[in-house]
Amino acid sequence: MQQNIFRKFLEDRGWRLTKQRNAILQKAFSCKGHFDPESLYMEMRKKGMKASRASVYRTLNLLCECGLVGKVSKTEHGTIYEHTLGSHHDHMVCTDCGEIIEFYSESLEKLQEEICREMDFEGKSHILEIRGHCRHCRMKKNVLGGESSNG
Amino acid sequence: MQQNIFRKFLEDRGWRLTKQRNAILQKAFSCKGHFDPESLYMEMRKKGMKASRASVYRTLNLLCECGLVGKVSKTEHGTIYEHTLGSHHDHMVCTDCGEIIEFYSESLEKLQEEICREMDFEGKSHILEIRGHCRHCRMKKNVLGGESSNG
DNA sequence: GTTGCATTGAAATTGAGTCTCAATCTATTT
DNA sequence: AAATAGATTGAGACTCAATTTCAATGCAAC
Ligand SMILES: [Mn+2]
Ligand SMILES: [Mn+2]
Ligand SMILES: [Zn+2]
Ligand SMILES: [Zn+2]
């Protein structure tokens, strides 16, 4: 349970799992996929869970440090997070519509481990973001562009 | 030659390769490895190459669009760039000392292409950042920590 | 209940990056 | 050569995510 992990992490530093920290933790883990600090904050206000913007940022940083939450990517509009209990995965980002597609490849993970061994680097985690165009946007472009039947 | 590529890119849009744009291009390509806009700007001032901060940012964006320059990663202190003539590669980042180690794996590239095919995603580029500890920092830690022979 | 930290939130601050806009440059047309 | 039109520039204003400040509060230990 993420609550105990977080509590342990805090207690190891002589800190406490406060009402606000717990609320932020719960909210973060209630998000289905990805989230950003600002909307987390706004949704918490709406539901009456009180925590300041500062506490949201502070707590998300703590959650990152203890590994319960990870940064997906930094966009022009801020950092995207996700909780990391459950399976690791990587991301494809459509540069047309912004859609984020998750994927996981065992071979890719294995290959990276092998590369780290070869390079004598102790890999702890990684962020892989493949940028390009999703099927949806490609089809839309074809319709608008009126593609011809030969290459 | 990067100058001609950039000129062509600009002319296709009815734009010009100005003194400032050229200076920024030259400066970017004179950097051995990675660089950030602010230090590029400061170094240009020191060497008497005049270009405003705004122009540096504007031009770096153009260079990204035409593919001569790429974003390596977004840190807390801004975006890191590198020029991309020469070979593509990925990065290992030591979270202890910040060292950035470059590597390239043909199998890794091929595997990603395959994954994109499977997912019906048109991959255009990717950013892979493996985070962990470099050999140097691991050795330093062992000396300081005085590791014992039993777990 | 007093001491000592940890914690909080409102507000101020920071800082990367963008935008504005008047002045300037440059190619093209008269 | 002068006029025109659009691109370009730079100083500084602006945006906005994120951090920091600091006085007030909470909480555990003594
Ligand atoms: Mn995800
Ligand atoms: Mn590099
Ligand atoms: Zn798309
Ligand atoms: Zn290191």
Side-chain angles (χ1 to χ4, degrees):
Chain A
M1 175 68 135
Q2 59 267 27
Q3 214 179 95
N4 294 328
I5 298 176
F6 194 30
R7 176 175 283 120
K8 175 113 184 39
F9 170 83
L10 291 168
E11 282 175 357
D12 284 352
R13 303 182 163 205
W15 297 346
R16 282 169 288 127
L17 179 54
T18 61
K19 207 163 38 143
Q20 288 91 337
R21 283 176 178 157
N22 193 45
I24 292 162
L25 174 70
Q26 296 312 321
K27 191 69 198 163
F29 272 79
S30 79
C31 294
K32 279 290 168 289
H34 305 144
F35 62 89
D36 63 284
E38 184 62 20
S39 27
L40 191 85
Y41 168 68
M42 292 308 276
E43 281 182 37
M44 286 185 69
R45 312 206 79 198
K46 273 193 285 185
K47 303 220 170 154
M49 307 156 88
K50 280 283 180 54
S52 70
R53 199 176 265 109
S55 287
V56 168
Y57 279 102
R58 282 192 283 236
T59 303
L60 284 178
N61 281 341
L62 291 176
L63 289 171
C64 277
E65 282 183 53
C66 78
L68 283 170
V69 156
K71 295 181 180 177
V72 172
S73 76
K74 295 200 179 185
T75 73
E76 301 70 48
H77 310 301
T79 304
I80 308 290
Y81 291 85
E82 70 185 356
H83 51 92
T84 51
L85 281 190
S87 52
H88 162 75
H89 56 257
D90 295 309
H91 296 106
M92 294 170 172
V93 179
C94 177
T95 53
D96 292 328
C97 68
E99 194 192 354
I100 299 181
I101 301 163
E102 304 185 333
F103 73 94
Y104 177 78
S105 159
E106 189 66 34
S107 350
L108 200 60
E109 303 292 320
K110 284 277 156 36
L111 188 49
Q112 287 183 51
E113 287 170 24
E114 193 184 314
I115 293 169
C116 283
R117 263 196 306 278
E118 280 170 17
M119 308 264 308
D120 197 9
F121 184 85
E122 185 188 12
K124 283 297 192 181
S125 67
H126 64 259
I127 298 178
L128 170 60
E129 185 175 307
I130 300 182
R131 303 168 64 80
H133 309 297
C134 71
R135 172 170 35 191
H136 184 254
C137 286
R138 258 159 39 227
M139 291 175 69
K140 200 158 46 178
K141 223 178 295 176
N142 282 342
V143 170
L144 289 176
E147 92 275 45
S148 59
S149 51
N150 49 6
Chain B
M1 174 66 136
Q2 59 264 27
Q3 212 178 96
N4 295 329
I5 298 176
F6 194 31
R7 176 177 282 119
K8 174 113 185 38
F9 170 83
L10 290 167
E11 282 176 356
D12 284 351
R13 304 183 164 204
W15 296 348
R16 280 169 292 126
L17 179 55
T18 61
K19 203 163 38 136
Q20 288 89 338
R21 282 175 178 159
N22 193 45
I24 293 162
L25 174 69
Q26 296 312 321
K27 190 72 198 160
F29 272 79
S30 80
C31 294
K32 277 290 166 290
H34 305 145
F35 62 90
D36 62 283
E38 184 62 21
S39 28
L40 191 86
Y41 168 68
M42 292 309 278
E43 280 183 37
M44 286 184 70
R45 313 206 77 197
K46 272 194 285 185
K47 303 221 170 151
M49 307 157 89
K50 280 281 180 57
S52 67
R53 198 175 265 111
S55 287
V56 168
Y57 279 102
R58 281 191 284 237
T59 303
L60 284 178
N61 282 341
L62 291 176
L63 290 172
C64 277
E65 281 183 55
C66 79
L68 283 170
V69 156
K71 297 180 180 177
V72 172
S73 75
K74 297 199 179 183
T75 74
E76 302 69 49
H77 310 300
T79 303
I80 309 290
Y81 291 85
E82 70 186 356
H83 49 93
T84 52
L85 281 190
S87 51
H88 162 76
H89 56 258
D90 296 309
H91 297 105
M92 293 170 175
V93 179
C94 176
T95 53
D96 292 328
C97 67
E99 195 193 354
I100 299 182
I101 301 163
E102 303 185 334
F103 73 93
Y104 177 78
S105 160
E106 189 65 34
S107 349
L108 199 61
E109 303 291 320
K110 284 277 157 33
L111 188 48
Q112 286 183 51
E113 286 170 22
E114 193 185 316
I115 293 168
C116 283
R117 264 197 304 280
E118 280 171 17
M119 308 263 310
D120 197 9
F121 185 85
E122 185 188 13
K124 285 295 191 182
S125 66
H126 65 260
I127 299 178
L128 170 60
E129 185 175 306
I130 300 182
R131 304 169 63 79
H133 309 298
C134 73
R135 173 171 34 193
H136 184 254
C137 287
R138 257 157 41 225
M139 291 175 70
K140 201 160 43 179
K141 223 179 294 176
N142 281 342
V143 170
L144 289 175
E147 91 275 46
S148 58
S149 50
N150 50 5

